[in-house]
Amino acid sequence: MLRCSGRLGGSYPVTSPTLALRVDEILHALSEASSYPDLLLHEIALYCWVKDLRKLGLGGEIDKHKGVREVESKVEAHPRIINPKALQVCTSSPKLKLTYFPFPGRAEPIRLALFIGGIPFEDERIGAGELEQRRSSLPFNQLPVLDVDGEVISQALAILRYAGTLGGLYSPRDFKEALRIDEVFSLVDEFYSSCTWNASYFEKDPEKQMKLRATLAEDTLPKTLDYLEKRVARWNGSFAVGERLTVADLAIYSLLWTFKSGRIAGVPVSVVESFKNLLQVHKTVSTHPQVVKWTAMLH
């Protein structure tokens, strides 16, 4: 509850894992100490203050005060102080396994966010047949899913926020930036959820599929790109929502890559050529050292 209220009130460092670790270390120490009724919180505070005073060479003054020395000795004799390893906070990274199809789609921004952030993860790619075998075991019968230390989480946007937070590309403390990011990748996700995209992707009849792709190329996709272009244009730069790389950039990059690659039959590559701001975002991401490395690993 204390961490939750701290996050809401802005006093818990949700954007700094290192600082959060330090805060958690103190909170953990206090919670551990609470199981020993003979050790009180004000005594711990006094002990910490006395330690600092001794470092300043004021030990002689401290020793004049019997009560202070008694508290200092009491805390120093505490099992949790004698054995500081008992106070260590677990700093191990979560064990992650991302499962999706063997192509970019909704999962590529997640993969890139983790890879750019240096977060280890297993990149599992399965086919449609394997999905059918597993579908009933998935939270919402669909992909992508992220296994976090054995807990399977669904929904691409939720996973992307989590991956972005771990990798430093999504800031839950910068409320306005987070809102801008959500706006961008929610629109990208709406495109992937559109009837036209899904119908054109899963249609088996070649003639019907090409008709759907024509609608996609002439209407659905240009509308989405135009909306994004106007939002990104506000910043007159290389990034989607401001002055730094975020998961919004990764979402735009993945969307443009899908159609710039020419892998979607019936949708000409030229459909993206007039969206200069989006192309600049694509260039920024594609030339990022970690993205270059990621791309090289896949070929």
Side-chain angles (χ1 to χ4, degrees):
M1 290 176 66
L2 180 59
R3 288 185 183 88
C4 181
S5 60
R7 290 188 181 102
L8 291 174
S11 58
Y12 182 88
V14 293
T15 60
S16 173
T18 302
L19 187 55
L21 176 62
R22 294 170 183 158
V23 173
D24 284 346
E25 181 181 40
I26 294 172
L27 294 177
H28 183 65
L30 295 179
S31 65
E32 289 285 353
S34 66
S35 62
Y36 293 83
D38 60 325
L39 190 60
L40 304 176
L41 297 186
H42 75 273
E43 293 174 325
I44 297 174
L46 178 60
Y47 169 74
C48 293
W49 180 56
V50 167
K51 280 188 65 178
D52 287 338
L53 292 179
R54 287 195 181 280
K55 290 178 182 178
L56 295 174
L58 299 175
E61 289 298 317
I62 294 170
D63 291 337
K64 294 178 182 179
H65 302 277
K66 181 181 178 182
V68 173
R69 286 189 286 108
E70 288 178 349
V71 170
E72 183 182 19
S73 298
K74 178 182 178 181
V75 176
E76 283 184 339
H78 194 282
R80 299 297 181 180
I81 302 300
I82 295 174
N83 180 20
K85 289 184 178 180
L87 293 178
Q88 290 182 353
V89 179
C90 178
T91 60
S92 59
S93 299
K95 184 178 181 181
L96 305 176
K97 181 171 77 171
L98 178 65
T99 302
Y100 193 63
F101 301 111
F103 49 77
R106 283 183 162 108
E108 195 67 2
I110 301 168
R111 294 171 180 143
L112 289 174
L114 293 171
F115 190 74
I116 291 172
I119 310 299
F121 73 103
E122 179 182 346
D123 183 19
E124 182 183 41
R125 305 187 182 209
I126 65 174
E130 180 68 18
L131 171 61
E132 290 307 314
Q133 295 179 23
R134 300 191 194 183
R135 191 181 292 278
S136 61
S137 66
L138 302 176
F140 301 119
N141 300 330
Q142 61 188 17
L143 298 176
V145 294
L146 182 69
D147 186 310
V148 184
D149 292 331
E151 179 183 0
V152 179
I153 305 296
S154 187
Q155 296 299 305
L157 296 189
I159 298 171
L160 182 55
R161 285 189 189 92
Y162 176 74
T165 300
L166 290 181
L169 303 178
Y170 183 89
S171 174
R173 275 292 303 276
D174 189 334
F175 301 143
K176 185 172 286 187
E177 182 190 69
L179 183 62
R180 292 168 182 157
I181 293 171
D182 287 354
E183 179 187 50
V184 168
F185 67 41
S186 294
L187 183 60
V188 173
D189 196 69
E190 282 181 13
F191 170 80
Y192 284 125
S193 299
S194 67
C195 294
T196 307
W197 167 253
N198 283 291
S200 73
Y201 200 87
F202 294 105
E203 178 58 58
K204 302 299 183 182
D205 183 281
E207 185 176 348
K208 291 181 180 179
Q209 185 181 58
M210 288 303 101
K211 288 182 179 180
L212 289 167
R213 291 283 169 84
T215 301
L216 188 72
E218 296 167 8
D219 182 63
T220 310
L221 180 58
K223 280 184 178 179
T224 298
L225 295 178
D226 187 56
Y227 289 145
L228 289 171
E229 175 77 3
K230 290 175 180 176
R231 301 308 282 169
V232 172
R234 295 175 296 170
W235 306 106
N236 297 316
S238 302
F239 303 108
V241 298
E243 299 179 351
R244 75 181 190 100
L245 186 73
T246 69
V247 290
D249 300 287
L250 304 185
I252 289 174
Y253 164 78
S254 181
L255 178 64
L256 262 65
W257 183 94
T258 298
F259 295 100
K260 280 174 63 67
S261 67
R263 63 184 297 271
I264 307 299
V267 180
V269 175
S270 59
V271 73
V272 304
E273 290 180 354
S274 62
F275 301 98
K276 303 303 181 183
N277 290 291
L278 299 184
L279 289 173
Q280 182 58 51
V281 170
H282 180 276
K283 180 180 179 180
T284 298
V285 176
S286 65
T287 56
H288 188 285
Q290 285 297 92
V291 177
V292 172
K293 183 177 179 181
W294 174 259
T295 303
M297 288 169 52
L298 300 179
H299 295 86

